[in-house]
Amino acid sequence: MTARRTILGGMLGLALAGSTSGFALAQEAVKVGLILPMTGPFASTGRQIDAAVKLFLAKEGAVHGGRKIEVILKDDTGNADTTRRLAQELVVNDKVAVLAGFGLTPLAMATAPIATQAKVPQIVMAAATASITEASPYIARTSFTLPQASEPMADWAWANGIKKVFTVVTDYGPGIDAETSFANKFKTAGGTVESVRVPLRNPDFAPFLQRVSEAKPDALFVFVPSGVGAQFMKQFVERGLDKAGVKLIGPGDVVDDDILEGIGEVAQGAITTHHYSAAHDSPANKAFVEAFQKANPGMRPNFMAVGGYDGMALIAKALEATKGDTSGDKLIAAMKGAGWESVRGPIKIDPDTRDIIQNIYVRKTQKVGSELHNVEFATIKDVKDPVKARK
Ligand code: PHB
């Protein structure tokens, strides 16, 4: 029986290979070029996404739409010129069908013209400046946008008696998005806001935190990119801001699950609004966290990992929809409007903007048993990127 099937299979294979090239094509792997900062100051983002991509392939299998997905991982060290060069090489030499990853906004922006020119879908798994999806019609995003996470924070702060806020953000796309979207909403509600911006490279928060200390606000709203939170929190405590009763608020990047245990007790009581917490209470998420930790001992999945996992799910779903056709136009068309139950909750790729529609959760950093977690206590459902929604 087995031998007969093998012979028949072999003959069928020969016949098809002789008559069409389609069969040979169907056997070829679909290459996904995954560009991440695996070294340098943002290596935690690379490590998280790489681990999640591997977990997706292990759990869901590599074959989708009849085609095997082969991931080619490249380290851009967080340097945009390197990202651009790697993207070019992946498209021209490796003939990748999809580009994915993008740990920081400048890295995603540097790649956008290549995606457009080559008609290759670019899946942004991490970077979160609102305008990124407008840089190429081939970009789809599975992370979040800073305005999407920051506007709900303004609503929460005002509703909870906070009147005067100082904002401290990293001085580039996502920080500026976080600051302006929060400040506009909070001022419209009636609050007052003072703002400072801190450099992206080698930030020293001390002089900025000194100004915050003198201003005596009710709350300090902070955005720093994933991985930098521990350094920020250390200086927050050194300046005595925790003891001065300044409440820490912001999007969830500063209390990122990857570094939360390292930050320690000082993070307790922070209120943040974000799309993912490892403590998200659902059976799917519990299974995800357990599988992630089993495959990566000592590591807790953060929102970057979930962006990577869902990015792979999006590529797999698109391949299933096109039945393995890797034409960039067909893949991106299949991605528009795709929706499913993620470990973060229900998500959907907005067919108009290719950005992600998702729940934003209000969370409090607190002890759960002996571990620090961002515990979700309120949900704002199906949030679109507000900047594009207003256009
Ligand atoms: C970005 O550069 O877009 C970025 C990086 C890290 C974050 C959020 C946004 O945590």
Side-chain angles (χ1 to χ4, degrees), residues 176-226:
I176 294 164
D177 264 4
E179 176 200 289
T180 50
S181 59
F182 174 84
N184 288 342
K185 195 116 208 256
F186 193 66
K187 282 191 221 162
T188 304
T192 61
V193 180
E194 263 188 274
S195 299
V196 287
R197 296 175 184 175
V198 187
L200 174 63
R201 302 280 165 185
N202 308 310
D204 177 10
F205 299 107
F208 302 100
L209 290 174
Q210 185 58 39
R211 281 186 57 190
V212 177
S213 169
E214 283 156 16
K216 297 191 176 31
D218 300 322
L220 170 58
F221 171 99
V222 62
F223 166 81
V224 291
S226 178

Side-chain angles (χ1 to χ4, degrees), residues 42 45 102-106 126-129 132 141 144 146 172-175 200 223-227 253-254 256 274 303-304:
F42 303 100
T45 294
F102 312 103
L104 297 163
T105 291
T129 301
I132 288 174
R141 172 155 42 197
F144 73 112
L146 263 308
Y172 77 126
L200 174 63
F223 166 81
V224 291
S226 178
D253 309 69
V254 68
D256 156 9
H274 225 212
F303 63 96
M304 293 299 187

Side-chain angles (χ1 to χ4, degrees), residues 138-288:
Y138 291 90
I139 292 180
R141 172 155 42 197
T142 55
S143 53
F144 73 112
T145 81
L146 263 308
Q148 185 180 46
S150 301
E151 283 198 1
M153 192 71 248
D155 295 333
W156 187 89
W158 184 253
N160 285 273
I162 292 169
K163 300 264 174 335
K164 184 176 163 187
V165 174
F166 212 113
T167 69
V168 177
V169 303
T170 306
D171 191 6
Y172 77 126
I176 294 164
D177 264 4
E179 176 200 289
T180 50
S181 59
F182 174 84
N184 288 342
K185 195 116 208 256
F186 193 66
K187 282 191 221 162
T188 304
T192 61
V193 180
E194 263 188 274
S195 299
V196 287
R197 296 175 184 175
V198 187
L200 174 63
R201 302 280 165 185
N202 308 310
D204 177 10
F205 299 107
F208 302 100
L209 290 174
Q210 185 58 39
R211 281 186 57 190
V212 177
S213 169
E214 283 156 16
K216 297 191 176 31
D218 300 322
L220 170 58
F221 171 99
V222 62
F223 166 81
V224 291
S226 178
V228 181
Q231 205 179 330
F232 175 85
M233 294 299 283
K234 191 167 165 273
Q235 296 190 350
F236 182 78
V237 177
E238 277 168 10
R239 291 281 132 185
L241 284 161
D242 55 333
K243 301 223 167 49
V246 177
K247 198 157 191 57
L248 195 75
I249 61 172
D253 309 69
V254 68
V255 286
D256 156 9
D257 272 300
D258 189 66
I259 54 169
L260 195 50
E261 285 296 329
I263 295 174
E265 310 268 313
V266 301
Q268 280 196 74
I271 303 286
T272 52
T273 38
H274 225 212
H275 55 292
Y276 179 71
S277 162
H280 180 66
D281 191 11
S282 75
N285 186 52
K286 283 205 172 71
F288 170 74

Side-chain angles (χ1 to χ4, degrees), residues 285-296:
N285 186 52
K286 283 205 172 71
F288 170 74
V289 173
E290 205 178 293
F292 187 96
Q293 296 196 306
K294 196 166 166 215
N296 307 278

